Amino acid sequence: MNLLSCSSNNCVSSYSLLASTDLSLKSPKTSIELSQLGWKQRKGFESNRSRKSSIVGYYGLKRPPYKLDALEPYISQRMIEVHWGGHHNGYVEALNKQLEKNDVLYGCTLDELIKVTYNNGNPLPEFSNAAEVWNHDFFWESMEPGGGGMPTLGLLQQIEKDFASFANFKEKFARAALTLFGSGWVWLVLKREKRCLAILKTSNAINPLVWNDIPITGLDLWEHAYYLDYKNDKAKYVNTFMNHLVSWNAAAARLVRAQAFVNLGEPKIPVA
Amino acid sequence: MALRSLTRHTLRNATLGFRGLQTFSLPDLPYDYGALEPAISGEIMQLHHQKHHQTYITNYNKALEQLDAAVSKGDASTVVKLQSAIKFNGEEGGGEPPKGSLGSAIDSNFGSLEALIQKINAEGAALQGSGWVWLAADKELKRLVIETTLNQDPLVTKGPSLVPLLGIDVWEHAYYLQYKNVRPDYLKNIWKVINWKYASEVYDKEFP
């Protein structure tokens, strides 16, 4: 997992770097990459490759850290193509289009952009696109082929401390996911003030960054995240995520990084 | 209360349990699952009706049983059922534009049927997350309005005098299998099966 450090306190990866070095979606390299995956070329790609594009990409589409068929049979390649290439890509393009019109917001890292556009509960129109871009980047990295199982070492200790047992945590997480109504996400977060792990349900695009908490792992519960493979069987999707997909490696790395900002242990002050 | 405003459909499907509590069953669709093809695939109709709608009804019945303890929960589910009943008023070979008083009301409120459709589609496409987009008649102000509601919120939360004429479900489950993430295409095609006759009936009842 990419652990770039950056100026703001709590971002997981630096998007301002990406904006300058990553190629905008309409560049030839990305188009060819996508076509190699068998992704159908949309009209936009062809026409923008041949003429000079007046649209600059402020944010780029980040790839999942595994091949698109790597999560089979739990999440089909087809579904990842639609989810990543359709929805996630759509959010990136929509966000870039919005930023074109409003360059007061240009220059933030994605985390800062989310906090600013959340506007303390009165979100600006850019918020849902920005937050969904971030959420989906986070989500792809929260899964891995051969995932599931149990966390180890420090993460397991912290989970057992805050939830009594790993099984209890799993059950609580699944229950939160199944009682979420409408579109939204379920998160395992590290709460800054309380210095403990907690499970959070959020609606639509909202993520824990807006409350300054640190997300450790997350699950997309918008229907588009599971409908093609699981139809309306949300329970099966949630259980599959917990048992076969969730990346405890990524979660552990995030917790390690979070400890740079949140002190989870008592300070070990030697006695004389 | 909410129970008083039940439509014909739901009343017909209510049976009295032994405690005098009404339980509801899934109303049948007045057409085959495949009848709305190609605008909405048979697979979607079957899933939407037999799984989603049925689940709401099951949960509603369960909530009714706990009505003594949880009144508000019962209300929310009621409207979900009602909304589904209204939406499932699609029609085989539907899409015929409304005539009569509803037709002229549309023209005077929105300019033309095309303008209305465009506006509804724009609102539906812009809705973030899950929800519904409605064409409603405002009883007090005596005009037609377009409203959106989130999740399964009832239309009355947008105005107590609003009567729904048409509702379009824009939860992803309503179109995903066929249209994937292209919600605008779904909104464009659904007009081919919209039941304007039912909408006109409701409109004529409110404004005789």
Side-chain angles (χ1 to χ4, degrees), chain A:
Chain A
M1 210 200 90
N2 201 3
L3 288 178
L4 299 173
S5 64
C6 69
S7 52
S8 85
N9 270 341
N10 57 350
C11 58
V12 175
S13 62
S14 168
Y15 277 90
S16 57
L17 263 183
L18 273 175
S20 52
T21 59
D22 197 6
L23 303 164
S24 85
L25 193 60
K26 294 180 172 62
S27 77
K29 179 179 169 212
T30 328
S31 310
I32 293 173
E33 233 181 302
L34 287 174
S35 72
Q36 273 171 354
L37 300 167
W39 180 251
K40 229 174 9 172
Q41 290 268 322
R42 295 199 318 232
K43 281 193 282 195
F45 287 139
E46 308 276 59
S47 56
N48 279 312
R49 243 194 302 165
S50 47
R51 68 173 151 81
K52 203 155 59 115
S53 174
S54 56
I55 299 175
V56 179
Y58 295 95
Y59 293 100
L61 179 67
K62 218 168 151 197
R63 289 196 55 151
Y66 34 76
K67 283 193 145 110
L68 296 194
D69 60 357
L71 297 183
E72 299 258 13
Y74 307 111
I75 297 193
S76 64
Q77 177 177 353
R78 180 85 185 102
M79 195 155 86
I80 295 197
E81 281 176 358
V82 180
H83 196 176
W84 175 64
H87 290 272
H88 192 178
N89 189 15
Y91 290 127
V92 172
E93 291 189 346
L95 178 62
N96 285 336
K97 251 212 290 228
Q98 281 175 323
L99 288 180
E100 225 184 287
K101 300 187 197 120
N102 182 6
D103 57 2
V104 168
L105 296 172
Y106 176 51
C108 304
T109 62
L110 196 56
D111 298 47
E112 289 169 356
L113 183 63
I114 290 174
K115 292 226 196 123
V116 164
T117 51
Y118 182 65
N119 201 16
N120 283 314
N122 227 337
L124 305 177
E126 290 82 358
F127 172 72
S128 44
N129 288 323
E132 279 290 274
V133 172
W134 190 96
N135 292 343
H136 282 89
D137 286 340
F138 187 83
F139 181 54
W140 302 127
E141 288 166 4
S142 298
M143 294 192 290
E144 63 179 359
M150 278 188 66
T152 52
L153 304 175
L155 177 57
L156 180 60
Q157 272 175 17
Q158 191 64 36
I159 287 181
E160 287 177 341
K161 179 156 162 240
D162 294 323
F163 294 101
S165 70
F166 179 65
N168 194 23
F169 156 73
K170 247 173 101 167
E171 194 240 311
K172 279 215 160 90
F173 193 86
R175 195 148 22 105
L178 293 173
T179 53
L180 175 71
F181 195 59
S183 303
W185 295 72
V186 178
W187 309 89
L188 172 64
V189 293
L190 180 65
K191 292 187 92 66
R192 260 187 225 258
E193 315 270 310
K194 299 205 182 126
R195 299 194 291 159
C196 65
L197 292 174
I199 296 175
L200 231 57
K201 293 197 288 202
T202 59
S203 290
N204 292 356
I206 299 179
N207 62 39
L209 294 180
V210 306
W211 298 300
N212 211 19
D213 288 330
I214 304 179
I216 304 293
T217 195
L219 177 57
D220 189 355
L221 285 165
W222 285 58
E223 284 174 325
H224 67 236
Y226 60 88
Y227 214 75
L228 286 182
D229 285 346
Y230 295 91
K231 309 287 189 305
N232 71 318
D233 199 348
K234 210 156 88 162
K236 196 159 164 234
Y237 166 64
V238 175
N239 286 326
T240 306
F241 176 79
M242 295 302 292
N243 295 329
H244 300 286
L245 288 171
V246 63
S247 169
W248 290 120
N249 291 324
R254 288 164 183 158
L255 186 62
V256 162
R257 197 170 177 284
Q259 288 185 309
F261 307 103
V262 179
N263 185 3
L264 287 176
E266 295 308 314
K268 284 193 171 64
I269 303 175
V271 177

Side-chain angles (χ1 to χ4, degrees), chain B residues 101-112 144 203:
Chain B
S101 51
L102 179 56
S104 40
I106 288 180
D107 285 337
S108 59
N109 276 284
F110 298 102
S112 68
L144 297 177
Y203 183 76

Side-chain angles (χ1 to χ4, degrees), chain B residues 115-127:
Chain B
L116 169 72
I117 289 181
Q118 253 190 346
K119 247 193 132 212
I120 289 188
N121 287 355
E123 301 254 341
L127 196 151

Side-chain angles (χ1 to χ4, degrees), chain A residues 78 82 86-87 128 181-183 204 222-224 227-228 231-232, chain B residues 43 47 51-52 128-130 151-152 171-173 176-177 180-181:
Chain A
R78 180 85 185 102
V82 180
H87 290 272
S128 44
F181 195 59
S183 303
N204 292 356
W222 285 58
E223 284 174 325
H224 67 236
Y227 214 75
L228 286 182
K231 309 287 189 305
N232 71 318
Chain B
E43 194 190 4
L47 266 173
K51 294 278 156 71
H52 293 271
Q128 287 290 330
S130 312
N151 295 348
Q152 298 289 1
W171 280 63
E172 286 172 326
H173 65 236
Y176 209 75
L177 292 181
K180 312 288 185 306
N181 63 318

